[in-house]
Amino acid sequence: MDLDDYRKHSPYSDPGRYGGLLDDVATDFPAVAATARNVIVHYRAGGVELPDDRLDEVNRRWVDRILDTDQSRFPLPLAAQRPAVDRVAGCCRDHTLLSVAVLRQHGIPSRSRVGFVSYFAPDWHHDHVLVEYWNGDRWVWADPELDPAGDWGFDGYDIDPEAGLFDSAARVWSAYRAGTIDPERYGVSPELPIRGNWFIHDYVLIELAHRQKDELLLWDRFGAMTEDIATADLTLVDEIAALLLAADDGDETAEKTLADRYAGDARLRPRPQVRSISPVSGTVSIVDLRR
């Protein structure tokens, strides 16, 4: 994909009838991020206790569905303050998706990046999704979940790709294959068993999907994903990770090869349906992505 592709909405980022709400959001990233935090609160780590019957909102996969929920409570501009407890329950993917939607609505090339961050807990790498947008000269990594008033010790809206604060799933997979990281320190949480080599493997496929503008939920299952690394096609994911890293370095041939592979190989992309495992209830559902 080229820059112009990333200016356009995907089915996930398309606001539908709420386009006017996104038009009214300023395009400087602090304003975009503040808007996302004002609409969405993390369902587990948002600093408020949400009612149990609200937690399933984290499965809203399309921006227009997120805004349906928001506007049913607050039929107001997105900048109008919402109490944290009444915001839409979501996660990092949703903060990023709404931010990407705002940027694309204004014609700014943007996409979501899937990987792992080291700044939420010592000696642990949480799975995470960032915004990557084109500032006119370069791609910028920015985390809309981070309140700039926090004492982070770095600029969360211009994260240095070489600082080790965020590493793409492809980079983490390559480090695992080289034997330079402990995969058991990469996952959802130190308290949960959802971690390790199989998890990193599957996140390479999710990273590829997001790069191709299929901004899936992080608990969607499809194609070559596995929960047992012994059954994985390691060569396939090695190849995709290498192409993702080359594309990040500006290799246009790698970028085109990724798009071609994604379009032509059913192991690499969601079919019209995915198996989705809710992080709230554990319920498994089959979701038709064509709506």
Side-chain angles (χ1 to χ4, degrees):
M1 291 189 179
D2 60 23
L3 282 179
D4 283 340
D5 290 317
Y6 291 113
R7 297 182 199 275
K8 303 169 187 173
H9 283 299
S10 69
Y12 299 86
S13 70
D14 190 340
R17 63 194 177 99
Y18 300 114
L21 291 175
L22 272 56
D23 289 336
D24 291 339
V25 179
T27 58
D28 60 291
F29 197 81
V32 173
T35 299
R37 292 195 306 275
N38 187 44
V39 173
I40 296 164
V41 63
H42 197 286
Y43 77 110
R44 287 189 297 108
V48 294
E49 180 135 5
L50 300 175
D52 289 345
D53 63 356
R54 292 260 320 284
L55 295 178
D56 192 60
E57 291 168 7
V58 75
N59 292 304
R60 307 279 194 269
R61 68 179 59 240
W62 295 284
V63 159
D64 64 339
R65 298 285 176 85
I66 292 171
L67 294 177
D68 276 341
T69 302
D70 170 75
Q71 290 294 294
S72 71
R73 297 177 190 145
F74 305 101
L76 300 167
L78 300 184
Q81 192 66 25
R82 282 98 162 121
V85 73
D86 294 323
R87 295 169 191 167
V88 182
C91 69
C92 57
R93 176 263 184 190
D94 305 302
H95 285 95
T96 287
L97 182 64
L98 182 55
S99 299
V100 165
V102 171
L103 293 170
R104 287 176 181 167
Q105 185 73 10
H106 291 271
I108 298 171
S110 58
R111 59 197 180 194
S112 50
R113 296 304 306 265
V114 177
F116 299 86
V117 294
S118 62
Y119 46 79
F120 289 138
D123 204 27
W124 180 261
H125 302 264
H126 285 88
D127 65 318
H128 204 50
V129 185
L130 298 185
V131 173
E132 186 175 48
Y133 73 94
W134 184 256
N135 72 354
D137 297 307
R138 62 184 175 92
W139 287 105
V140 177
W141 280 353
D143 187 344
E145 252 192 294
L146 297 187
D147 187 335
D151 184 18
W152 297 103
F154 62 94
D155 184 354
Y157 297 163
D158 191 353
I159 297 174
D160 181 356
E162 302 305 321
L165 298 166
F166 173 84
D167 285 319
S168 69
R171 185 181 290 187
V172 173
W173 175 257
S174 297
Y176 158 68
R177 295 288 277 157
T180 59
I181 64 162
D182 177 1
E184 290 302 309
R185 298 190 183 276
Y186 292 77
V188 171
S189 166
E191 292 79 33
L192 295 174
I194 311 171
R195 63 171 77 187
N197 49 20
W198 69 268
F199 188 76
I200 301 167
H201 167 280
D202 287 1
Y203 262 47
V204 175
L205 300 179
I206 295 177
E207 180 188 354
L208 173 62
H210 278 239
R211 195 181 190 98
Q212 300 303 314
K213 296 173 62 178
D214 275 333
E215 293 100 352
L216 300 173
L217 299 181
L218 299 179
W219 39 90
D220 286 340
R221 313 289 298 167
F222 63 92
M225 286 186 168
T226 181
E227 294 182 10
D228 181 357
I229 201 69
T231 68
D233 186 337
L234 301 182
T235 300
L236 175 68
V237 174
D238 286 345
E239 291 172 353
I240 296 304
L243 286 167
L244 285 164
L245 292 173
D248 275 349
D249 287 337
D251 186 331
E252 294 182 4
T253 299
E255 197 79 73
K256 184 178 186 308
T257 301
L258 280 172
D260 291 344
R261 292 285 298 273
Y262 189 72
D265 191 334
R267 298 172 297 172
L268 299 176
R269 56 183 167 79
R271 298 177 183 180
Q273 294 181 330
V274 293
R275 186 167 62 98
S276 194
I277 306 172
S278 171
V280 176
S281 63
T283 301
V284 179
S285 56
I286 303 301
V287 179
D288 191 327
L289 299 179
R290 299 167 299 185
R291 295 203 278 183

